[in-house]
Amino acid sequence: MNPVTYTLQGPVAVLTMNNPPVNGLGHALRSGIVTALDSALADPAVTAVVLTGGEQLFSGGADVREFGTPKSSMSPNLPDVIRALENASKPVVAAIAGHALGGGLELALGCHFRVARKDATLGLPEVKLGLLPGAGGTQRLPRAIGVEAALQMIVSGTPQKAATFAGTDLLDSVVDSDVVAAAVALAQQVVADKRTLRRLRDVKLPTAGADAFLQFARNSVKAAAKGMPAPLACMEAVADSVTQPFDEGLKRERAAFFALMSTPESRAARHVFAAERAAGKLPDVPSDTPLRPIAQVGVIGAGTMGGGITMNFLNAGLPVVLLETSQEALDRGLGTIRRNYENSAKRGKLTAEQVEQRMGLITPTLDYAAFKTVDLVIEAVFEQMDVKEKVFRQLDAVCKPGAILASNTSYLDINKIASFTSRPQDVLGLHFFSPANVMKLLEIVRGEKTAKDVMATALALGKKIRKISVVSGVCDGFIGNRMVARYGAAANALVVAGASPQQIDKAMERFGVAMGPFRMGDLAGLDIGWATRKRKAAEAGVPHEPTVADKLCELGRFGQKTGAGWYRYAPGVRDALPDPVVDELLAQYRAERGITPRKISDEEVVQRCIFALVNEGARILEEGIAVRASDVDLVYLNGYGFPAHRGGPLCYANEMGLFNVVRTLRDFAAEPGAFDWWQPAPLLLKLAEEGRTFA
């Protein structure tokens, strides 16, 4: 396939990029553009050139398939291509439809004129990959739309519709349709009018008042950077567009781009980018697997979780049959959903009409018979197997053939739940994270008999409701809660050994987690883990040995909801306050076990907590519970507040070096009385010995 199609429309050469799926600017396409441009410039019959991707798409930017390969930097590189367009002796017009993102927009900025369909999306999202635009975007965009608007666009990485830029030097024309025809017409008009070829590089930016604005912007960007170097690098590059000659600005931009490429933060961001695109793919489920239609959804339970799950589907325009056991509980749940939407309306995110439209999609009911017409039903009831059994036996009796039956369980065995029905092939887990209408993660739990089309449908539905979906196999706690249990155990062991909850939380928060393990436990509710530990001991037929957290629960301290857990909480305030009661309980717990508290460094806190996660993640991967290492990272990034700039636990372990991780784990495992789970996972040992990574 020719990466660039060359056609003539009268005296105008139309160069159409053709590199599916997003016209990624790989080496073949870059070479094709320059070759086609040279042909047009050499043909005396050609008076102007239009560069386009057709009526569907301009370019999504760099070809991610070439990341990390020699082709990504082979000549002509993107700056070479843009220089050729900019220095062309004949008018070059960009015809933009669909997306012009990253290098795609930089390519258009190198043309003399630009026409866009009004619904086209334009943006420079490189900051989200830990980078900055590296082909002149930070120098040309400020000259097209002004420094302030360009800075906001580049630092946020948020794309905008073409209609936003009507009347700026970014776009010469914004049209409703037929963007290629409009570009050809503009090219002919430019020739007829003998217009000067306009190069953005020649635009002079005003300097009056620039220093004060740039310093204000630096302070704002620094405050919002959250451990990522890219936003500040973007800031300085845009500042160069004002303070430096154009070519010097280009030189500095390119140097900053390559410097960022080598940072662990950028490697982490690129890892996450690739992970999100891989997560929805299962090796044994073809991409063309037919999907089951989902036109109506049922939800059991109108409490915090059930209400949040319901809102996901309402937001996507899907009607929901919402079941509760009493009218009082149903009314309370409906009231909470309405208040959530009305609060969104007060913040300007919804109109009053949209609130009513979404509420109108709910069919409240107290009767399971209302589920006869639903295509998918999700239960959000108590985490007890006998309760789940009653629910799924009723669903099996009333739901139509082919309806998907899903559990929102956080821990329980999906295979056992499926066995309560006559259709285990239709059963899976859809584990939402609380608050379900806010949290991005959705764990899709695949039972041993779950049908492939059910998995394909669930993954497609996850996209529709804008979740990051990760597939997990069946085990206690699946990927996320199984790992967090080990993380919590490591934190509990540290507090028994001598650290305070406050020290551990502060050390982990300095590392970058959204919330330390003890504050997180108080927020989630300590009674959840307590119940799980008692259940697992009963299933194993052994006495339950209470942890410190269990001792707190025995005192009725379940966390924020009871006003006390690891911390105490004043009424109506979520501030976590140290509590002498916890100090006394810890001292007593240590004394009963003959433990002399020792001084523990923050570095040891981080190592033990994070390496416990890494080791359990390796076991999850080895057992086939997770399809790929990057899926494990996505779960912890999107469900548990792991710092994005570190890319997830397994990505972080790669950066640390698996040899070093194994060596540290062995030290922990060799300590007197050490838990057996400190022993390095076999997969981790194998990768370290072979000098490989989780990637």
Side-chain angles (χ1 to χ4, degrees):
M1 180 187 297
N2 193 327
V4 177
T5 303
Y6 185 107
T7 58
L8 290 173
Q9 291 194 26
V12 178
V14 178
L15 317 184
T16 305
M17 296 179 283
N18 186 22
N19 183 26
V22 297
N23 280 336
L25 293 164
H27 181 255
L29 181 54
R30 299 194 304 268
S31 297
I33 293 171
V34 175
T35 299
L37 176 67
D38 287 345
S39 296
L41 297 179
D43 185 347
V46 171
T47 60
V49 177
V50 166
L51 177 65
T52 185
E55 295 294 336
Q56 300 301 317
L57 173 72
F58 190 72
S59 171
D63 193 332
V64 296
R65 295 169 293 192
E66 291 187 1
F67 274 6
T69 71
K71 283 188 175 181
S72 64
S73 57
M74 282 175 60
S75 295
N77 58 29
L78 187 55
D80 293 335
V81 178
I82 293 170
R83 192 177 306 111
L85 294 168
E86 196 169 52
N87 292 332
S89 56
K90 298 175 183 179
V92 180
V93 182
I96 304 168
H99 298 300
L101 300 175
L105 180 56
E106 289 179 300
L107 190 70
L109 289 169
C111 297
H112 303 124
F113 305 94
R114 287 159 294 279
V115 177
R117 209 169 60 205
K118 68 179 182 182
D119 60 350
T121 303
L122 281 58
L124 294 172
E126 286 86 350
V127 70
K128 296 181 179 180
L129 296 180
L131 299 170
L132 53 66
T138 65
Q139 305 305 298
R140 292 187 179 89
L141 188 63
R143 289 169 163 83
I145 63 174
V147 173
E148 185 172 355
L151 182 63
Q152 172 63 28
M153 194 170 171
I154 293 168
V155 169
S156 72
T158 304
Q160 298 182 42
K161 293 298 181 185
T164 307
F165 303 108
T168 70
D169 286 345
L170 177 56
L171 298 176
D172 297 272
S173 178
V174 177
V175 298
D176 291 326
S177 60
D178 300 323
V179 69
V180 175
V184 169
L186 175 61
Q188 291 174 321
Q189 191 64 48
V190 165
V191 172
D193 294 346
K194 298 181 179 178
R195 291 189 204 173
T196 302
L197 303 187
R198 198 170 67 235
R199 305 190 309 173
L200 285 172
R201 64 173 291 137
D202 298 328
V203 175
K204 302 297 182 186
L205 286 168
T207 57
D211 288 346
F213 168 74
L214 292 173
Q215 190 53 51
F216 169 79
R218 279 188 188 94
N219 295 337
S220 300
V221 171
K222 185 176 181 179
K226 295 181 179 178
M228 294 294 286
L232 281 169
C234 288
M235 167 70 233
E236 295 306 327
V238 172
D240 286 342
S241 71
V242 180
T243 63
Q244 302 296 323
F246 182 84
D247 286 328
E248 179 62 22
L250 275 188
K251 180 180 175 182
R252 292 186 182 203
E253 177 197 77
R254 198 68 177 163
F257 175 83
F258 284 115
L260 287 171
M261 279 285 286
S262 64
T263 62
E265 292 86 357
S266 179
R267 286 194 294 271
R270 299 197 304 271
H271 166 74
V272 174
F273 176 84
E276 290 178 356
R277 279 143 189 81
K281 298 171 184 174
L282 294 174
D284 65 330
V285 179
S287 59
D288 59 353
T289 299
L291 305 181
R292 298 191 187 186
I294 304 293
Q296 186 183 48
V297 176
V299 176
I300 303 173
T304 301
M305 182 58 76
I309 291 171
T310 296
M311 290 177 69
N312 283 292
F313 296 107
L314 303 180
N315 295 344
L318 285 170
V320 175
V321 178
L322 181 59
L323 172 75
E324 255 297 355
T325 55
S326 70
Q327 189 64 49
E328 181 185 4
L330 189 56
D331 290 342
R332 186 165 55 247
L334 291 169
T336 299
I337 293 171
R338 176 174 285 280
R339 278 195 303 277
N340 287 340
Y341 280 137
E342 288 176 346
N343 287 337
S344 293
K346 287 176 184 176
R347 295 193 298 270
K349 294 184 177 181
L350 292 175
T351 64
E353 183 182 12
Q354 286 173 321
V355 171
E356 296 308 320
Q357 285 174 343
R358 293 182 192 195
M359 292 303 299
L361 291 171
I362 304 175
T363 301
T365 185
L366 302 175
D367 188 352
Y368 272 83
F371 288 146
K372 287 182 178 178
T373 58
V374 302
D375 303 296
L376 162 71
V377 59
I378 305 169
E379 62 78 14
V381 301
F382 293 117
E383 281 286 84
Q384 295 175 358
M385 191 60 82
D386 58 340
V387 177
K388 306 287 188 187
E389 180 175 2
K390 291 176 184 176
V391 167
F392 275 83
R393 290 196 186 282
Q394 290 186 80
L395 292 177
D396 193 35
V398 303
C399 290
K400 66 186 180 182
I404 298 173
L405 312 182
S407 173
N408 182 56
T409 180
S410 306
Y411 291 93
L412 300 180
D413 187 340
I414 291 295
N415 293 326
K416 189 171 183 180
I417 291 172
S419 74
F420 301 142
T421 75
S422 61
R423 46 173 121 179
Q425 72 280 0
D426 296 337
V427 179
L428 81 168
L430 292 178
H431 178 211
F432 290 80
F433 286 68
S434 186
N437 55 307
V438 175
M439 296 292 282
K440 294 195 295 183
L441 180 65
L442 174 63
E443 270 186 320
I444 299 178
V445 186
R446 185 180 194 176
E448 61 184 22
K449 295 183 179 178
T450 306
K452 291 181 181 180
D453 65 334
V454 170
M455 292 304 299
T457 302
L459 286 163
L461 188 63
K463 285 184 179 178
K464 185 167 186 176
I465 62 175
R466 297 184 177 181
K467 297 295 184 188
I468 293 175
S469 301
V470 177
V471 174
S472 172
V474 176
C475 66
D476 200 282
F478 316 128
I479 297 172
N481 281 331
R482 175 172 161 179
M483 288 179 68
V484 83
R486 195 65 75 222
Y487 174 73
N492 274 277
L494 281 163
V495 88
V496 170
S500 69
Q502 300 94 283
Q503 179 199 351
I504 294 168
D505 281 349
K506 287 177 181 176
M508 293 308 301
E509 287 162 14
R510 279 193 291 270
F511 174 79
V513 301
M515 187 177 289
F518 297 105
R519 288 179 60 215
M520 184 173 73
D522 276 0
L523 178 63
L526 302 182
D527 51 322
I528 298 171
W530 186 36
T532 300
R533 287 186 288 275
K534 289 190 290 185
R535 171 180 61 80
K536 292 176 78 171
E539 289 172 353
V542 298
H544 171 58
E545 179 63 32
T547 65
V548 180
D550 297 340
K551 292 286 188 181
L552 291 170
C553 289
E554 289 169 5
L555 297 174
R557 299 173 66 103
F558 297 162
Q560 284 191 19
K561 60 189 174 186
T562 59
W566 288 103
Y567 298 90
R568 62 182 177 85
Y569 301 88
V573 180
R574 292 192 176 187
D575 294 344
L577 305 172
D579 194 340
V581 173
V582 176
D583 297 336
E584 291 172 13
L585 186 146
L586 279 169
Q588 182 181 349
Y589 190 91
R590 293 168 186 147
E592 289 171 352
R593 288 155 180 77
I595 297 170
T596 302
R598 64 181 177 86
K599 186 173 179 60
I600 296 170
S601 70
D602 288 357
E603 180 184 11
E604 182 182 349
V605 168
V606 171
Q607 278 192 334
R608 286 184 182 268
C609 289
I610 299 302
F611 288 2
L613 277 178
V614 171
N615 208 24
E616 196 64 20
R619 290 193 174 96
I620 284 169
L621 194 59
E622 187 171 33
E623 293 168 20
I625 299 300
V627 177
R628 52 187 71 85
S630 58
D631 287 355
V632 174
D633 286 335
L634 284 182
V635 167
Y636 231 78
L637 285 164
N638 294 287
Y640 299 90
F642 198 87
H645 68 276
R646 300 192 188 275
L650 302 190
C651 178
Y652 176 73
N654 291 338
E655 288 289 335
M656 292 297 98
L658 299 192
F659 172 85
N660 298 319
V661 175
V662 166
R663 189 165 177 267
T664 303
L665 287 171
R666 281 176 166 154
D667 287 344
F668 295 157
E671 295 169 347
F675 295 108
D676 58 3
W677 44 260
W678 281 122
Q679 291 292 341
L683 175 62
L684 188 52
L685 282 171
K686 184 175 186 292
L687 293 174
E689 288 168 359
E690 295 174 357
R692 295 163 60 201
T693 69
F694 285 114

